Amino acid sequence: MNSNRCRAAILISGSGSNLQAFIDQVAGQQLELDIVQVISNRLDAFGLTRASKAGIATHCLLHDQFADRESFDRALARELDDARPDLLILAGFMRILSPWFVAHYNGRILNIHPALLPAYPGLNTHQRVLDAGEQWHGSTVHFVTEQLDGGPGVLQGRLLVAADEAAADLARRVQAVEHQIYPATAAMFASGRLEYRAGAAWLDGERLQQPVVRDF
Ligand code: GRF
């Protein structure tokens, strides 16, 4: 590990295909950061297996063993802080974070949401997009603030919804986009090009009024 490189911790709850994209890009030297830890709140998260295979330290912290949201978050932060992360990457981490946790890592948490935020926050986005007959769909990488799915967007990957597309197919296509835009955003942060300041995302010294959009 290089001591100057950005130290990233990745939080997961499930399959971890985004985690895998990070692992692959770091291994292939397309992404310059170190994944110092992977934490899951579910024992059966396949992402834990992916991380172990890659030789990354893993930890599982079960939220149902804590009295309330903040005590889980404080235990999570204790675990994370031992690994001294510069950046937290939420990759399918199915937990709402407490204001305490968000403040503790102020401006250092990224999330990816499978929709073109601010459209379609919340769950089940692919089906909702299809039901609404939308032309465009995609995914958004954003900084995490106290507002669920509401922090400033950085990078959006956008694609055209195909005629008669099934939700599962659309989900697959959106995930393939995620596997590109999420490591790309983390790379911007790791190199110092991207930062969170005064409630906004700044890229190359300019305040982003809206996320950068890439079409796929
Ligand atoms: C992704 O689609 C992401 O947008 C959402 O959760 C999903 C995680 O998938 N936040 P995976 O576990 O990375 O495969």
Side-chain angles (χ1 to χ4, degrees):
M1 251 178 230
N2 179 332
S3 61
N4 296 323
R5 297 226 300 189
C6 174
R7 299 170 63 83
I10 303 189
L11 306 188
I12 59 165
S13 300
S15 153
S17 70
N18 279 282
L19 164 65
Q20 189 68 55
F22 278 94
I23 291 172
D24 293 346
Q25 291 210 14
V26 171
Q29 299 183 353
Q30 298 142 277
L31 175 59
E32 293 200 14
L33 54 74
D34 291 319
I35 305 170
V36 292
Q37 194 181 31
V38 169
I39 300 188
S40 169
N41 66 321
R42 292 184 55 125
L43 269 174
D44 60 355
F46 182 61
L48 289 172
T49 307
R50 297 181 192 268
S52 300
K53 268 195 192 152
I56 300 166
T58 62
H59 188 78
C60 196
L61 200 62
L62 304 176
H63 55 271
D64 51 13
Q65 294 182 356
F66 292 84
D68 53 40
R69 188 173 299 285
E70 192 173 308
S71 33
F72 170 80
D73 282 2
R74 284 182 183 266
L76 179 59
R78 274 195 297 278
E79 187 61 38
L80 283 166
D81 286 345
D82 284 345
R84 294 179 291 108
D86 302 305
L87 173 65
L88 303 193
I89 294 169
L90 309 185
F93 187 57
M94 300 302 283
R95 294 281 307 165
I96 295 173
L97 297 168
S98 61
W100 177 85
F101 188 93
V102 174
H104 186 70
Y105 296 105
N106 183 33
R108 291 189 289 144
I109 315 176
L110 289 173
N111 184 43
I112 189 157
H113 178 77
L116 300 173
L117 290 172
Y120 301 99
L123 298 173
N124 199 20
T125 55
H126 311 300
Q127 191 59 56
R128 286 160 58 209
V129 161
L130 290 172
D131 291 347
E134 300 283 2
Q135 190 184 9
W136 292 98
H137 186 34
S139 191
T140 307
V141 183
H142 64 93
F143 279 110
V144 171
T145 60
E146 279 187 29
Q147 218 188 340
L148 186 65
D149 298 331
V154 179
L155 184 56
Q156 255 174 2
R158 206 169 67 139
L159 45 75
L160 277 170
V161 178
D164 300 324
E165 187 158 17
D169 294 332
L170 185 55
R172 248 189 309 279
R173 291 204 298 132
V174 168
Q175 277 220 322
V177 169
E178 293 188 330
H179 301 161
Q180 299 186 54
I181 63 170
Y182 210 0
T185 308
M188 294 174 195
F189 186 93
S191 65
R193 292 179 56 205
L194 172 68
E195 61 178 333
Y196 176 86
R197 206 172 356 119
W202 297 71
L203 184 59
D204 297 329
E206 281 189 30
R207 189 184 199 277
L208 291 179
Q209 305 297 337
Q210 50 195 29
V212 175
V213 179
R214 277 193 204 163
D215 286 339
F216 287 83

